Amino acid sequence: SEQEDCAISPKAIVQDACASYATLDRLNAQVKPALDDLTQTTDFFSHYRLNLFNKACPFWNDEGGMCANIGCAVETLDNEEDIPEVWRAAELGKLEGPRAKHLGQSARKRHPEKPLLGELGGGVSEGCVFEYDDECDERDYCVPEDESAGSKGDYVSLLRNPERFTGYGGMGSRQVWDAIYRENCFQRSSFPHTADLGSSSPKNLAQQDFKQVLDAAARQLSNDKLEVPSGDVETNDECLEKRVFYRVVSGMHASISTHLCWDFLNQTTGEWHPNLSCYAARLHPFPDRISNLYFNYALLTRAVAKLGPYLKDYTFCTGDEVEDIATRNKVLEVTDRAATVPQIFDEGLMFVNGEGPSLKEDFRNRFRNVSRIMDCVGCDKCRLWGKIQTSGYGTALKVLFEFDNAEDLPVLKRTELVALFNTHARLSSSLNALAKFRDMLQASKKEQESEETKKEPEPEPEESKKEPEPEESKKQPEPEESRKEPEPSPEESKKEPESKESVAATPNEMKEEKTMGSESTPPEKKHQKEPFRPQTITEQFKHEFGLVWDAVALITGSWYRAPAAFFHIFSSETNRFVRFWIGLPVPDRDWSFEWPSLQRDEL
Ligand SMILES: Cc1cc2nc3c(=O)[nH]c(=O)nc-3n(C[C@H](O)[C@H](O)[C@H](O)COP(=O)(O)OP(=O)(O)OC[C@H]3O[C@@H](n4cnc5c(N)ncnc54)[C@H](O)[C@@H]3O)c2cc1C
């Protein structure tokens, strides 16, 4: 809802950010198709040259800290050994697709037609990819790729290496982000005209300057339709320009998070899909981060729009005129569309008052440092996109703050242009993904609500409403007593019908009782007289002797009577058989088997 969207606005550029977000979303809907077309279908913008592997992390020891050290790239799963190798962080972070070495100007002279020796594949127009000018300019906000290493870097395909989930995380990435945010603090020496940085004195021109930027951005983003309160921007921080710098870095961080949530890999199923809970955890609760992302979009849009007139004459592809024209047309489509919201960000208000030049210098140095920190990123793909985006923001700042007239512009290098437009495209797809995530979250909330209403039981007494029962007991209400104590299983109940008392007993007690009942006294003997229990040794001796005597008497008596008993049985049965055989009436048996009167257990 409108109200819900407004929740992503606090501390943002504008007081009521809904209007500005909506303006930027509308602009993005226009620009995105052209931007996607440019970055995905032209050889110039879909290949990037950088020195990915030959630069050591200049800020901490690679071995102990991280970087290429796999141990630092803590995996997202506790035990990655259980999943197929292709879904593991180490694999996901690797660069894919063909790579071509930059062999320098001499190689180009030797093979003007194929300066990359066909290494990127037959379908790629090398004249659009090869970089002719690798000189560094002192106005750069980025670190030139050939600055420190002997290697001139590699060309890689950005289409083959999309920015998405890689599993890179843990201490490694945390250390990099921390280092980047630490660059945020500007030095006092950057403000020679202002002794007291902490004060909000009206003499603090840089502070006013900064505030002006924010106010102006507010006005422009809201398309001059909203009244923006002027007194609510907190500017008495020690590091004055930090908000703009922080905004750029935080917006970049938010954009990376958006992409990894949007293009997320479930490492157990191997499916790529938007991960709503990732968005709900990393972005939705942080309106300031989303606001910074929109801020960056405005900044990049302004830079791209400003470049438009200059790019009309830019040569994108040497030796391939058709591709050159097609690329230029696509670029101009983007810059024209980006320019449809005039003065989206007024860079003219930054760095102009008293502190201007020194602040600008500090700003630039910090940005160069962020660029160097990217060499400490321990996952190739993340490093690739980290470097492109740092370079993209650096180029945007260069375009906005260094170039006042069109003659200055030709200094831009191919790498910078590719980085600028690809960073713009990243932000564009982030805005798009965020809008979809917002819708998904809304839909999932609605679904949850409707499920809860469906499940809601018939009106219950006040008391049970206060403390809802677990689902199970709601479905099958049971008597209070049986809910407290588990009942024996149906089989057990069948075997041993228990009294009411035993039902209330604990299962163990019941088991004990059953065991005793079945193995000791049989039920029919329960009511017999208690057997004699001797108290003294003499009594016990007499009792035992009596039992032995009885047993001996029983056995000898039986043996004594046995021959006569067997003779009687034999003659009686013979007589019955003869009478039966000659047809006379047969008398009943006069004998039977009987237990002796003495009980066996008494022996
Ligand atoms: C340069 C770089 C590029 C990366 N690229 C990728 C990639 O392409 N794919 C991938 O899967 N992973 C990438 N990562 C890793 C990813 O950014 C996270 O670091 C990782 O997913 C771990 O996330 P986390 O939850 O620990 O928080 P992190 O994103 O590492 O954040 C660390 C802390 O910074 C703060 N923070 C987070 N977001 C913001 C914000 N927008 N503004 C201000 N503060 C914030 C929070 O306090 C958070 O706890 C990259 C990391 C770096 C440094």
Side-chain angles (χ1 to χ4, degrees):
S1 70
E2 192 77 358
Q3 202 54 41
E4 178 109 341
D5 289 346
C6 287
I8 57 169
S9 74
K11 292 190 202 156
I13 306 164
V14 283
Q15 183 74 1
D16 181 354
C18 285
S20 57
Y21 285 148
T23 308
L24 289 177
D25 279 336
R26 268 199 302 277
L27 177 65
N28 190 39
Q30 277 184 12
V31 178
K32 190 172 182 297
L35 205 43
D36 287 347
D37 188 38
L38 176 71
T39 51
Q40 289 168 17
T41 65
T42 63
D43 288 335
F44 185 95
F45 286 100
S46 63
H47 290 84
Y48 190 66
R49 176 189 154 207
L50 81 170
N51 197 339
L52 253 189
F53 301 106
N54 295 303
K55 286 191 170 182
C57 167
F59 295 91
W60 52 81
N61 183 354
D62 285 10
E63 281 160 34
M66 52 145 327
C67 294
N69 179 353
I70 183 74
C72 308
V74 175
E75 275 86 41
T76 35
L77 293 188
D78 286 346
N79 190 4
E80 275 207 331
E81 280 147 32
D82 295 342
I83 58 169
E85 210 164 304
V86 284
W87 302 338
R88 294 183 197 169
E91 279 302 311
L92 292 170
K94 276 187 192 163
L95 286 183
E96 287 164 43
R99 281 214 298 273
K101 281 246 161 300
H102 180 80
L103 300 168
Q105 303 299 341
S106 55
R108 183 177 68 89
K109 280 178 196 143
R110 280 201 302 276
H111 318 275
E113 295 301 310
K114 281 219 170 286
L116 300 174
L117 309 175
E119 284 182 52
L120 290 179
V124 174
S125 175
E126 294 186 7
C128 306
V129 176
F130 189 81
E131 186 152 19
Y132 296 94
D133 179 14
D134 44 23
E135 291 307 309
C136 181
D137 187 73
E138 82 274 1
R139 287 175 299 184
D140 281 350
Y141 283 79
C142 61
V143 179
E145 287 302 334
D146 56 342
E147 185 189 60
S148 61
S151 162
K152 295 278 185 182
D154 294 325
Y155 293 90
V156 295
S157 160
L158 299 179
L159 296 180
R160 297 289 298 270
N161 296 285
E163 186 193 27
R164 59 183 182 179
F165 175 84
T166 60
Y168 175 55
M171 282 305 294
S173 67
R174 182 60 66 92
Q175 197 173 3
V176 176
W177 283 124
D178 283 354
I180 292 173
Y181 285 111
R182 265 200 303 278
E183 286 301 322
N184 193 20
C185 206
F186 285 75
Q187 293 157 2
R188 278 165 185 268
S189 60
S190 300
F191 307 93
H193 301 282
T194 313
D196 181 11
L197 284 174
S199 85
S200 53
S201 134
K203 281 184 197 160
N204 190 338
L205 296 174
Q207 182 170 315
Q208 285 181 356
D209 180 14
F210 172 62
K211 188 170 169 305
Q212 265 181 313
V213 173
L214 296 187
D215 286 351
R219 279 195 307 279
Q220 282 130 25
L221 282 178
S222 60
N223 226 3
D224 290 335
K225 280 182 190 147
L226 290 165
E227 198 187 315
V228 181
S230 55
D232 61 343
V233 183
E234 196 191 301
T235 48
N236 60 350
D237 202 293
E238 192 173 353
C239 315
L240 283 180
E241 287 279 347
K242 90 177 199 180
R243 278 177 181 262
V244 174
F245 183 89
Y246 173 80
R247 215 159 239 169
V248 173
V249 171
S250 165
M252 176 174 79
H253 194 167
S255 179
I256 290 174
S257 302
T258 306
H259 284 116
L260 77 88
C261 291
W262 184 252
D263 216 348
F264 190 87
L265 176 72
N266 180 334
Q267 285 175 289
T268 42
T269 63
E271 278 171 21
W272 290 92
H273 61 92
N275 183 335
L276 187 57
S277 37
C278 176
Y279 163 78
R282 295 186 189 221
L283 293 146
H284 194 74
F286 304 102
D288 53 319
R289 296 178 188 174
I290 294 176
S291 158
N292 295 336
L293 202 158
Y294 275 79
F295 177 89
N296 282 0
Y297 184 80
L299 189 109
L300 268 276
T301 305
R302 172 67 192 131
V304 163
K306 192 175 175 182
L307 269 184
Y310 154 70
L311 293 176
K312 283 192 171 93
D313 301 321
Y314 194 88
T315 303
F316 293 93
C317 310
T318 46
D320 191 338
E321 212 167 305
V322 178
E323 197 60 28
D324 186 44
I325 292 170
T327 307
R328 189 174 309 106
N329 287 342
K330 288 179 181 184
V331 168
L332 295 179
E333 189 65 39
V334 173
T335 56
D336 285 354
R337 292 186 188 196
T340 51
V341 177
Q343 286 293 293
I344 198 165
F345 182 97
D346 189 355
E347 70 280 7
L349 291 168
M350 255 180 117
F351 306 123
V352 288
N353 292 327
E355 316 289 355
S358 52
L359 255 186
K360 198 146 87 173
E361 177 72 17
D362 202 2
F363 207 86
R364 185 166 45 228
N365 284 336
R366 273 160 212 292
F367 226 86
R368 280 173 175 255
N369 260 356
V370 172
S371 190
R372 288 192 180 97
I373 292 171
M374 289 301 160
D375 284 319
C376 303
V377 173
C379 132
D380 297 347
K381 252 184 223 165
C382 311
R383 193 156 68 247
L384 167 67
W385 282 104
K387 282 188 163 231
I388 290 176
Q389 289 174 85
T390 317
S391 172
Y393 290 114
T395 307
L397 294 172
K398 190 168 164 181
V399 169
L400 292 179
F401 301 123
E402 303 290 345
F403 299 128
D404 294 327
N405 48 56
E407 293 87 70
D408 288 327
L409 287 168
V411 181
L412 278 187
K413 294 184 295 190
R414 179 187 178 279
T415 314
E416 291 172 315
L417 278 181
V418 176
L420 178 69
F421 280 89
N422 272 285
T423 305
H424 194 205
R426 292 289 76 211
L427 289 164
S428 165
S429 84
S430 289
L431 254 62
N432 197 44
L434 284 176
K436 286 183 179 152
F437 269 137
R438 280 198 294 270
D439 290 348
M440 283 163 70
L441 198 68
Q442 195 86 14
S444 117
K445 272 186 192 161
K446 269 189 193 151
E447 204 176 306
Q448 245 177 345
E449 276 167 15
S450 71
E451 264 176 30
E452 271 163 26
T453 352
K454 259 189 240 161
K455 270 187 203 162
E456 223 154 69
E458 291 298 302
E460 284 177 354
E462 219 37 49
E463 215 176 307
S464 55
K465 257 186 222 162
K466 270 181 227 156
E467 285 186 13
E469 298 269 331
E471 287 308 309
E472 284 299 301
S473 56
K474 262 190 212 167
K475 277 182 226 151
Q476 297 177 343
E478 288 171 358
E480 200 59 30
E481 207 183 341
S482 59
R483 240 180 285 149
K484 277 184 209 151
E485 297 291 345
E487 286 203 7
S489 71
E491 287 85 350
E492 281 171 340
S493 317
K494 257 184 249 159
K495 275 187 239 158
E496 296 279 337
E498 294 288 343
S499 69
K500 213 174 176 206
E501 290 90 294
S502 61
V503 173
T506 66
N508 279 344
E509 284 166 353
M510 286 168 18
K511 202 173 155 196
E512 244 176 65
E513 218 175 288
K514 277 180 228 160
T515 314
M516 282 161 63
S518 58
E519 283 182 16
S520 62
T521 326
E524 68 273 17
K525 298 207 87 188
K526 267 186 184 172
H527 304 292
Q528 286 185 358
K529 260 202 276 174
E530 277 290 306
F532 169 69
R533 299 262 182 259
Q535 303 295 318
T536 63
I537 293 180
T538 327
E539 273 180 357
Q540 194 159 354
F541 175 75
K542 276 187 187 164
H543 175 69
E544 290 298 324
F545 184 77
L547 288 177
V548 174
W549 180 257
D550 286 349
V552 171
L554 177 73
I555 292 166
T556 41
S558 303
W559 280 108
Y560 175 74
R561 288 190 300 272
F566 284 129
F567 178 73
H568 175 75
I569 292 171
F570 177 71
S571 57
S572 154
E573 284 305 308
T574 312
N575 178 40
R576 289 177 75 232
F577 176 70
V578 173
R579 292 178 73 86
F580 168 72
W581 191 62
I582 58 177
L584 292 171
V586 180
D588 286 339
R589 278 203 178 97
D590 59 352
W591 61 273
S592 65
F593 282 111
E594 270 181 28
W595 288 114
S597 59
L598 197 68
Q599 294 298 329
R600 276 172 304 162
D601 50 357
E602 282 178 22
L603 295 174

